[in-house]
Amino acid sequence: MSEASNDQYYVPHLAKWPIVGSIGLFVTFMGAIQALNSQTSITPWLMFVGIGIILWMMFGWFGDVIKESEEKLYSTQVDTSFRMGMIWFIFSEVMFFAAFFGALFYARTFSVPWLGGEGIGLATNETLWSGYEGVWPTNGPADLNGRFEIIDPYHLPLVNTLLLLASSVTITIAHHALRANNRKQTIIWLIATVLLGAVFIFFQAEEYVLAYRDFNLKLSSGIYGSTFFMLTGFHGLHVTLGAIMIAIITIRVIKGHFRPESHFGFEAVAWYWHFVDVVWLGLFIFVYIL
Amino acid sequence: MKKMQLKFMMLLGGLLVSTLSAAEYGMNLRKGVTEFSETAFGLHTFTLWICIVIGIIVFGAMIFSIFAHRRSKGAKADQFDHSLTAEVIWTVIPILILVVIAVPATKALIKMENPTTDDGKRLAMDMTIKVTGYQWKWKYDYMDEGISFISSLDRDHDLARQKGSGVDVTTIENYLLEVDNPLVIPVDTNIRFLLTADDVIHAWWVPDFGWKRDAIPGFVNEAWTNVQTPGTYRGQCAELCGKDHGFMPIVVEAVSKEDYAKWVADQKGEQEVEAQMVDTEWTKDQLMAKGEEVYNTQCAACHQATGAGMPPAFPALAGSALVNGDPAAQIDLILNGKPGTAMQAFGNILSETDIAAAITYTRNSFGNTAGDVVQPATVKSMKQ
Amino acid sequence: MSQDITHDEVAHDHHDHDHKPKGFVKRWLMTTNHKDIGTLYLVFALAMFMVGGAMAMIIRLELFQPGLQFVEPAFFNQMTTMHALVMIFGAVMPAFVGLANWMIPMMIGAPDMALPRMNNWSFWILPFAFTMLLATLFMPGGAPAGGWTMYPPLVLQGGHNVGFLVFAVHMMGISSIMGAINVIATIMNMRAPNLGYLNMPLFVWTWLITAFLLIAVMPVLAGAVTMILTDRYFDTSFFNAAGGGDPVLFQHIFWFFGHPEVYIMILPAFGIISEIIPTFARKPLFGYVSMVYATAAIAFLSFIVWAHHMFSVGMPLGGSLYFMYATMMIAVPTGVKIFNWVGTMWRGSMTFETPMLFSLAFVVLFTIGGFSGVMMALAPVDLQYHDTYFIVAHFHYVLVTGAVYAIIAGAYYWLPKWSGHMYNERLGKIHFWWSTISVNVLFFPQHFLGLAGMPRRIPDYSTQFAEFNMMSSIGGFAFGLAQVLFVYIVWKTVRGGEKATAQVWEGAKGLEWTVPSPAPHHTFSEFGPVDLSKLANGEKFSILSDIDEKDDKQK
Ligand code: HEA
Ligand code: HEA
Ligand code: CUA
Ligand SMILES: [Cu+2]
């Protein structure tokens, strides 16, 4: 087919992937619930089947889009739609993290001091939790799960910060290389990015092991444990996804996809990676340092 | 068509009139018996009237337009589409109106949250009552007197309200608004309330006092009141707290200071007798009789009078392995509850005697065959 | 009309504009067509309205008389909770997305939504989400019963249903976010080249702003319920004071979502009303630009008022005062809208077809709901109103006679365009009068109940509340039956009836009225300038539009 013109908009005619994706989500969640409620023996299998369906959907759907893109069915206007889609998707992710950051800030500025008797919390402290001082970090007045230590921000987390910052640089270099149509450079720098991401995840895992085994810092360690693990955990999940996405992009570059002037898939992944990076900076400051 | 519109207007008019006359039929906000409730009532009336006036103007203009500017009357459409003057006016006037409402509202709120005397000093509180919400009853602690008791829905009302009870509830006075042990307070006294809860969020609300405040587990909220007129004031839990949220009323009796002092003395006497009973040896029959009473008021809401429970949310006690097993395990459960479930820690709610009786009762009823007796003293020793 | 390059089964007939895919599965499960997806959304919403309405009927039945007659308290709470969740996430929001799907591309001269495959996905997630949620009704332990606000710790006592609730909400969130992204991309990227932002119909404007609200708050709700999930199953302590958390924390997060959410349910309604009133007043919308600004102002304010739902939780004084003032301010831009609608009617040449009747009732009844809103915004008095039937009356006035009325008005207004047939005007009018009288009998007495002290979410009440409850229930049953009539009218219209013209309404303006009725399967497959004179605001603001060459030619 010829190069798409801007007078016409590519509207795919039929698509089976959305319904497959919906079924996949449904099966995954049902499986997860079964596992959580641990009622039946089909327990986690259902969830894995669901995840399998979702993966199938993703490969199929993205495959179709890539094919259409390589066939040059997309006009620049379609490209803009994709961009907007990605930008607003990332914005929604930002808001998701905002909920957890909000929980952290609220706990630190309001609920923990109140439990410790500050401000309007005087009666609370006197009547229910006398002796509790409400200093952060805390596992709460009931000392849930016992004493714990916190991770020193200037060891692993600092290294991880540098790793992620470096990975932001490498992916930008890769992007410039792609625009200069220097494929070899692109591939090298992409691989470097994936590696940096992988090392980050490895260290993060290491940190969790440390926390659980040596520091007695657990998900159940009161509000500190809750916010610490939920924030870093969701972030780690996003890094993992981002790294997989970059790996796929790398394979696509190796296969000769993308053009110097049009490579939305590449850019979307790069934006996502920067977003993950920025969230980490927030984490590093508010979760580890302060 | 026209007739219909007339009817519609009549309906609207009727609604309006009924709003205005609502006060007479006891369908308006209550004026209440505290300074704060009267302020709130005044603010309510004031704002309501403002809204009614704005409504008459806006709907009036609209209805006039509907009648005058209709095509069936040959109206030709003008084509104007904005007017800066009009738009500025109808932005500015509402702002002014809102300011006029906001000023008294601010004052009222400050008075409630930051009570001060006429010369600007913080108002001193004469006594403190701690209110704790449980599923589905209230516990009152008179912090200064050392009196405390549980207040739950009156037993007759509780039986009548059961589905299929066969009781005509309209024959019951103050249906659902009666408790076994009302809160007794003296008039003309600044009373500080400390509100908290044990399991889920409840809210303590007596309309005549003019406020409600949430009772939140793990936190303590403060509020205060000063009742001038003796009388009985009724209210309800106002935050959804589970299946019997509709059945945890509040009854406050405001009495003269002298009567209050007498009541306090009585209560103290009774509590002393209770305390002594703990160390005496009880017979099985005594325990069973008391146990049935305690069980029906405290436990039956969840585990049902028949002991059948409502599985899976509330387990059956009939045939329960725990109830038929080692008594120590059951005592421990009743004393400390099971965190994260509705099974609350009765150690803070009931006396040792009540707990011992309830346990004895469950172990010898509903077909349970443990057959043993749990003495209050045993419970007391396990409480330490 | 041009050929459609998107056709992948190209082989046959290129001149057939209406080449709908053949076969049920292909047509409905695999569709990428905005009109088909719009229809799916609307049908789904109507079905959920029936389900949620049936639950409301159970509530009203039990409350018909004091004493417990029909259901157990635990089941009653499940009904209250599910009624609200189904109505909000299953009926009103999908109905608006359905209208957006049908109308926005047609209104801005676009061939379809910007991301058609994702559009399909947004829809098809919903039936699965609601299967999951509704299935809990048939499980031991029953459905969630902690209120639609899902406050912990109560919701955590839900046993097995907590997981279902949380994941169902996640799925609804995913669906809404994708739908909103699609709307934004469509409006910003797919307008006809000469159609500027200030040429857009107000329905498009309000939806654009709504979509931003959705993207900003649905993830926050997802975060909140995720914390519920981990508190329930993974021992975290977000909402547990013993661990340093706070049950009130959930309320803040929830209402940071929840308050914008109520505007998500009313802004598109404002848009619909702003389309209909000018049409039947045969007069341009008064104050188009101020309408746009007012919408934006409401959206902005909606983010900073959330704690007006929490005046009784024991906030510090400054917090209560701030939230009181901020909330009161919303009355100003909303007032501007009401006044502008009255200004549009003023000196018009009005006729009163069914959509217009519903719109007029909307203006009056929504305003009544708004008034009670302003009263509740006053923190010291809200300590009385809070959690009583006064609140229930407030939000049903803004939701039922607000959001739902606007949806019904929109359905009558555009049904001829969708189906190609005129609905039966006589039946439409009967539906209107029946609904409007009964809905007031249903909800107006609830104001009195609330003021007299009846708490909400209770299955049984003191005998002093008996009369007004009975009145309300009778109104409720009548209103429910009226909606059965609505379904009948829609059904008859879709099946046949008087043919509709392209223009349908004499005074209607907008691109949707330039295409035949029923609208062909594909409209505007070719990008190009549209005839701005056909738009309500086509020519006035052309100076401000992005590209005005075409416009110059017309002048
Ligand atoms: C479509 C949905 C919708 C809309 C549009 C609104 C609109 C408003 N709401 Fe409402 N609200 C709900 C849905 C909605 N609400 C729901 C569902 C709940 C309960 C949730 C739950 O607990 O389950 C709720 C609860 C709720 C509360 C909490 C009460 C409580 O629980 O104690 C408050 C308190 O401030 C409030 C206020 C307002 C205000 C000030 C507006 C304003 O936007 C109204 C503005 C409009 C007008 C004022 C009328 C027109 C204006 C004029 C004619 C101008 C002149 C007027 C004046 C100067 C007064 N709402
Ligand atoms: C968009 C949202 C929406 C809509 C449309 C409605 C519509 C209705 N609502 Fe609801 N409602 C809420 C949102 C909504 N509600 C919310 C958010 C709550 C708070 C929940 C909470 O506290 O957590 C609530 C709570 C609520 C209560 C308070 C419950 C309580 O506190 O315990 C009541 C009580 O009367 C009620 C009634 C009704 C009625 C009678 C309708 C009617 O308009 C419905 C009419 C429709 C039909 C009836 C369906 C069509 C007909 C049939 C299916 C055929 C059968 C008909 C007959 C047998 C007559 N609703
Ligand atoms: Cu306790 Cu409601
Ligand atoms: Cu709100």
Side-chain angles (χ1 to χ4, degrees):
Chain A
M1 256 190 223
S2 64
E3 190 97 9
S5 80
N6 266 340
D7 305 344
Q8 281 178 325
Y9 195 84
Y10 179 73
V11 178
H13 196 59
L14 284 175
K16 74 164 178 253
W17 299 120
I19 187 77
V20 171
S22 305
I23 294 171
L25 275 179
F26 182 65
V27 174
T28 309
F29 280 139
M30 289 303 271
I33 297 169
Q34 296 293 337
L36 289 174
N37 288 337
S38 57
Q39 287 170 305
T40 52
S41 51
I42 47 164
T43 311
W45 292 112
L46 199 56
M47 186 165 87
F48 294 131
V49 170
I51 291 172
I53 300 178
I54 292 179
L55 286 176
W56 176 44
M57 178 274 293
M58 298 222 294
F59 275 99
W61 192 330
F62 289 134
D64 280 0
V65 172
I66 292 164
K67 203 168 97 229
E68 287 158 12
S69 170
E70 294 300 312
E71 284 170 4
K72 305 202 171 59
L73 288 173
Y74 294 159
S75 60
T76 52
Q77 197 185 7
V78 177
D79 195 64
T80 310
S81 288
F82 284 166
R83 275 160 205 279
M84 288 182 172
M86 193 65 195
I87 290 171
W88 292 111
F89 166 66
I90 290 178
F91 177 66
S92 77
E93 291 265 48
V94 171
M95 292 309 292
F96 182 75
F97 275 99
F100 287 91
F101 274 107
L104 175 68
F105 296 150
Y106 184 87
R108 295 192 55 170
T109 31
F110 298 113
S111 57
V112 169
W114 285 345
L115 288 166
E118 268 178 47
I120 61 169
L122 188 62
T124 298
N125 189 258
E126 279 173 355
T127 338
L128 297 176
W129 311 111
S130 72
Y132 179 64
E133 311 212 331
V135 257
W136 192 264
T138 180
N139 54 354
D143 197 28
L144 290 190
N145 204 39
R147 261 185 62 80
F148 65 91
E149 283 169 64
I150 61 170
I151 307 281
D152 177 2
Y154 300 108
H155 285 94
L156 276 183
L158 182 65
V159 175
N160 265 348
T161 310
L162 296 176
L163 284 176
L164 271 195
L165 285 176
S167 75
S168 243
V169 175
T170 52
I171 200 166
T172 309
I173 298 176
H175 190 191
H176 282 285
L178 179 63
R179 274 204 288 210
N181 207 11
N182 188 340
R183 291 198 160 250
K184 209 170 136 219
Q185 287 282 316
T186 315
I187 294 167
I188 291 173
W189 287 109
L190 278 177
I191 291 175
T193 314
V194 176
L195 287 178
L196 286 168
V199 177
F200 174 95
I201 297 162
F202 176 77
F203 281 159
Q204 185 82 32
E206 177 103 354
E207 187 180 299
Y208 279 9
V209 172
L210 207 67
Y212 261 76
R213 201 189 47 205
D214 299 343
F215 292 178
N216 193 33
L217 171 57
K218 299 184 175 163
L219 203 48
S220 48
S221 295
I223 187 72
Y224 186 85
S226 308
T227 48
F228 175 82
F229 283 107
M230 292 303 282
L231 274 162
T232 54
F234 271 117
H235 177 263
L237 205 68
H238 281 76
V239 176
T240 312
L241 282 177
I244 293 174
M245 279 162 28
I246 298 175
I248 291 172
I249 290 296
T250 314
I251 296 169
R252 287 188 60 194
V253 177
I254 294 172
K255 282 173 91 176
H257 291 180
F258 301 125
R259 281 162 286 159
E261 70 287 351
S262 152
H263 45 262
F264 164 72
F266 185 104
E267 282 174 300
V269 174
W271 291 340
Y272 193 79
W273 195 251
H274 289 311
F275 146 72
V276 169
D277 204 15
V278 171
V279 171
W280 174 261
L281 290 181
L283 284 180
F284 187 56
I285 295 170
F286 294 111
V287 176
Y288 288 98
I289 296 186
L290 292 180
Chain B
M1 216 44 259
K2 201 148 185 193
K3 246 206 234 136
M4 282 214 178
Q5 258 137 16
L6 256 173
K7 267 193 214 144
F8 179 55
M9 285 189 51
M10 268 159 59
L11 182 84
L12 273 183
L15 291 173
L16 211 71
V17 172
S18 54
T19 322
L20 304 185
S21 54
E24 285 154 42
Y25 296 101
M27 284 300 153
N28 197 352
L29 198 62
R30 265 181 277 185
K31 200 162 185 178
V33 291
T34 65
E35 197 187 334
F36 182 73
S37 71
E38 278 165 29
T39 319
F41 177 78
L43 210 52
H44 159 77
T45 313
F46 178 60
T47 321
L48 180 61
W49 274 107
I50 288 183
C51 289
I52 289 173
V53 171
I54 299 175
I56 290 175
I57 295 170
V58 177
F59 304 154
M62 186 175 145
I63 288 166
F64 173 78
S65 181
I66 287 174
F67 280 102
H69 308 143
R70 48 169 56 217
R71 197 169 57 171
S72 52
K73 279 207 171 168
K76 287 268 173 321
D78 239 320
Q79 290 301 312
F80 65 85
D81 62 10
H82 72 285
S83 148
L84 192 62
T85 334
E87 284 167 72
V88 169
I89 289 176
W90 65 49
T91 310
V92 172
I93 290 185
I95 294 180
L96 296 179
I97 295 175
L98 291 171
V99 171
V100 170
I101 305 174
V103 172
T106 307
K107 282 191 190 143
L109 193 69
I110 292 177
K111 185 127 201 188
M112 173 72 193
E113 301 287 332
N114 254 340
T116 49
T117 53
D118 290 338
D119 49 359
K121 282 207 218 62
R122 216 184 144 77
L123 196 69
M125 293 294 152
D126 304 319
M127 61 183 280
T128 304
I129 297 175
K130 184 171 154 218
V131 180
T132 312
Y134 291 92
Q135 281 171 323
W136 292 279
K137 54 200 163 239
W138 297 98
K139 184 180 178 216
Y140 299 113
D141 287 281
Y142 290 69
M143 306 284 271
D144 319 283
E145 316 286 355
I147 299 171
S148 86
F149 56 86
I150 300 277
S151 171
S152 42
L153 179 65
D154 183 274
R155 182 96 184 106
D156 292 337
H157 295 240
D158 197 37
L159 289 174
R161 64 105 174 164
Q162 302 296 333
K163 199 176 123 194
S165 69
V167 181
D168 176 8
V169 298
T170 52
T171 60
I172 301 179
E173 208 184 338
N174 293 317
Y175 175 56
L176 295 185
L177 296 179
E178 196 69 81
V179 296
D180 47 5
N181 303 306
L183 177 72
V184 177
I185 57 167
V187 293
D188 194 21
T189 310
N190 291 333
I191 303 170
R192 180 167 82 134
F193 288 97
L194 296 180
L195 301 121
T196 184
D198 188 63
D199 34 40
V200 300
I201 305 175
H202 305 262
W204 200 81
W205 180 36
V206 176
D208 282 324
F209 296 174
W211 51 265
K212 65 175 67 69
R213 177 110 325 160
D214 290 359
I216 301 166
F219 286 82
V220 175
N221 267 326
E222 292 190 53
W224 71 284
T225 197
N226 183 330
V227 181
Q228 294 296 334
T229 345
T232 305
Y233 305 109
R234 292 169 203 280
Q236 270 174 283
C237 175
E239 177 66 54
L240 179 60
C241 54
K243 76 181 173 62
D244 286 353
H245 157 62
F247 309 100
M248 52 184 291
I250 296 157
V251 177
V252 181
E253 272 169 23
V255 297
S256 70
K257 286 184 173 167
E258 300 79 58
D259 288 350
Y260 176 71
K262 243 186 273 152
W263 178 84
V264 168
D266 282 355
Q267 289 292 312
K268 282 188 174 164
E270 259 174 52
Q271 290 199 340
E272 229 155 78
V273 175
E274 277 260 329
Q276 279 163 6
M277 295 291 278
V278 176
D279 297 318
T280 50
E281 183 88 3
W282 288 60
T283 68
K284 186 170 177 182
D285 288 343
Q286 278 175 318
L287 283 171
M288 286 298 284
K290 183 158 186 82
E292 181 169 10
E293 186 195 319
V294 174
Y295 182 86
N296 282 332
T297 49
Q298 302 297 334
C299 319
C302 297
H303 298 292
Q304 304 297 299
T306 58
M310 301 167 80
F314 307 109
L317 300 189
S320 149
L322 191 83
V323 177
N324 289 298
D326 178 15
Q330 195 188 350
I331 299 173
D332 182 59
L333 177 82
I334 312 291
L335 280 175
N336 303 312
K338 178 133 187 215
T341 73
M343 184 63 202
Q344 48 211 228
F346 282 93
N348 310 321
I349 305 177
L350 299 176
S351 70
E352 288 85 353
T353 317
D354 288 350
I355 293 177
I359 292 176
T360 307
Y361 178 70
T362 57
R363 297 174 75 80
N364 297 291
S365 314
F366 331 127
N368 288 341
T369 53
D372 49 4
V373 169
V374 173
Q375 288 295 339
T378 321
V379 176
K380 193 178 171 190
S381 69
M382 279 194 65
K383 208 171 170 179
Q384 265 98 60
Chain C
M1 200 134 310
S2 80
Q3 90 176 64
D4 176 8
I5 62 153
T6 68
H7 208 298
D8 45 19
E9 296 164 327
V10 197
H12 59 273
D13 197 358
H14 282 181
H15 305 287
D16 171 12
H17 301 154
D18 246 28
H19 37 47
K20 300 181 180 109
K22 310 245 155 30
F24 182 84
V25 170
K26 282 189 175 167
R27 170 84 193 267
W28 298 112
L29 261 61
M30 294 164 65
T31 178
T32 51
N33 179 283
H34 71 103
K35 299 191 183 76
D36 281 352
I37 296 174
T39 306
L40 284 171
Y41 264 113
L42 289 169
V43 170
F44 177 77
L46 191 60
M48 284 296 134
F49 181 63
M50 292 294 127
V51 173
M55 293 172 177
M57 293 300 109
I58 296 176
I59 295 175
R60 283 311 338 161
L61 190 65
E62 182 54 60
L63 294 176
F64 187 71
Q65 277 179 5
L68 284 178
Q69 288 87 23
F70 301 98
V71 298
E72 292 291 346
F75 185 72
F76 182 91
N77 290 347
Q78 296 173 24
M79 285 296 107
T80 300
T81 306
M82 298 293 271
H83 158 68
L85 290 172
V86 167
M87 282 297 196
I88 289 175
F89 294 103
V92 172
M93 290 170 68
F96 281 133
V97 183
L99 292 172
N101 256 299
W102 254 101
M103 302 319 299
I104 288 176
M106 279 208 274
M107 285 175 153
I108 59 175
D112 203 302
M113 296 293 278
L115 304 159
R117 272 183 288 231
M118 195 173 83
N119 199 14
N120 180 349
W121 201 20
S122 327
F123 170 76
W124 276 106
I125 287 177
L126 281 181
F128 289 99
F130 278 89
T131 307
M132 204 143 124
L133 186 62
L134 291 169
T136 56
L137 279 168
F138 307 100
M139 292 176 190
W148 82 283
T149 47
M150 303 180 276
Y151 284 3
L154 180 61
V155 72
L156 300 173
Q157 291 183 354
H160 292 326
N161 64 39
V162 179
F164 289 90
L165 174 65
V166 168
F167 289 135
V169 170
H170 278 156
M171 286 174 81
M172 295 166 203
I174 294 171
S175 157
S176 293
I177 290 168
M178 290 198 299
I181 288 175
N182 225 331
V183 167
I184 291 178
T186 307
I187 296 175
M188 307 230 292
N189 192 35
M190 307 274 287
R191 275 171 294 125
N194 62 337
L195 204 153
Y197 279 108
L198 284 176
N199 299 131
M200 295 194 313
L202 253 157
F203 179 67
V204 180
W205 255 115
T206 51
W207 239 115
L208 179 62
I209 291 169
T210 304
F212 286 121
L213 290 183
L214 275 168
I215 295 184
V217 301
M218 291 310 290
V220 175
L221 174 67
V225 295
T226 304
M227 293 180 216
I228 296 266
L229 187 81
T230 59
D231 267 16
R232 166 75 175 76
Y233 293 104
F234 297 102
D235 291 334
T236 57
S237 308
F238 287 104
F239 311 129
N240 176 7
D246 188 345
V248 175
L249 166 61
F250 177 84
Q251 302 184 14
H252 282 289
I253 306 178
F254 180 86
W255 289 115
F256 183 84
F257 145 80
H259 190 81
E261 168 68 18
V262 305
Y263 292 100
I264 287 167
M265 291 187 284
I266 206 68
L267 293 183
F270 290 163
I272 295 170
I273 302 303
S274 303
E275 299 295 320
I276 293 176
I277 290 183
T279 296
F280 295 100
R282 293 170 183 73
K283 189 163 157 285
L285 182 69
F286 189 93
Y288 172 86
V289 183
S290 63
M291 283 299 215
V292 173
Y293 284 134
T295 313
I298 293 172
F300 169 74
L301 288 171
S302 76
F303 283 109
I304 57 168
V305 300
W306 72 88
H308 63 214
H309 297 270
M310 304 162 54
F311 284 134
S312 69
V313 298
M315 267 183 287
L317 174 62
S320 290
L321 285 176
Y322 160 75
F323 283 110
M324 173 169 95
Y325 300 144
T327 305
M328 291 171 78
M329 266 157 41
I330 301 193
V332 177
T334 317
V336 166
K337 288 190 159 280
I338 305 281
F339 301 135
N340 280 348
W341 287 322
V342 177
T344 308
M345 291 175 227
W346 195 257
R347 313 248 303 268
S349 167
M350 276 187 275
T351 51
F352 301 93
E353 287 84 347
T354 312
M356 181 64 161
L357 288 176
F358 273 102
S359 302
L360 295 176
F362 173 96
V363 175
V364 173
L365 299 175
F366 171 80
T367 304
I368 292 177
F371 285 153
S372 55
V374 170
M375 294 171 72
M376 285 151 31
L378 304 175
V381 204
D382 186 61
L383 295 182
Q384 288 281 38
Y385 302 143
H386 178 65
D387 266 334
T388 65
Y389 262 78
F390 194 74
I391 311 293
V392 177
H394 158 70
F395 66 70
H396 282 101
Y397 266 87
V398 284
L399 281 170
V400 177
T401 56
V404 172
Y405 260 41
I407 292 166
I408 295 177
Y412 280 113
Y413 186 54
W414 286 309
L415 196 55
K417 179 57 63 187
W418 302 335
S419 68
H421 305 296
M422 280 315 273
Y423 61 85
N424 183 326
E425 189 64 57
R426 235 184 87 79
L427 286 181
K429 287 212 165 83
I430 292 175
H431 175 219
F432 170 75
W433 286 107
W434 186 356
S435 295
T436 303
I437 292 169
S438 60
V439 84
N440 282 291
V441 177
L442 165 57
F443 293 121
F444 209 86
Q446 295 186 354
H447 288 113
F448 305 142
L449 286 172
L451 291 176
M454 177 167 161
R456 57 192 280 207
R457 298 165 164 173
I458 57 173
D460 194 4
Y461 46 82
S462 185
T463 43
Q464 75 205 67
F465 307 124
E467 287 83 7
F468 283 117
N469 265 307
M470 190 177 284
M471 204 189 278
S472 176
S473 287
I474 292 171
F477 303 143
F479 184 71
L481 281 180
Q483 306 327 307
V484 178
L485 175 62
F486 176 60
V487 178
Y488 172 77
I489 296 172
V490 172
W491 175 250
K492 286 294 278 187
T493 314
V494 172
R495 298 306 300 272
E498 189 194 328
K499 287 265 171 282
T501 59
Q503 174 71 19
V504 185
W505 312 108
E506 177 198 328
K509 290 215 158 190
L511 292 179
E512 74 264 40
W513 308 112
T514 62
V515 301
S517 306
H521 203 55
H522 296 286
T523 33
F524 306 108
S525 349
E526 209 166 81
F527 267 102
V530 290
D531 182 354
L532 287 180
S533 67
K534 298 285 189 225
L535 280 145
N537 292 283
E539 294 178 305
K540 230 168 307 153
F541 298 104
S542 52
I543 332 116
L544 299 162
S545 67
D546 311 338
I547 301 165
D548 29 18
E549 26 166 330
K550 173 77 198 278
D551 218 62
D552 292 343
K553 263 184 252 157
Q554 271 172 5
K555 289 237 166 97

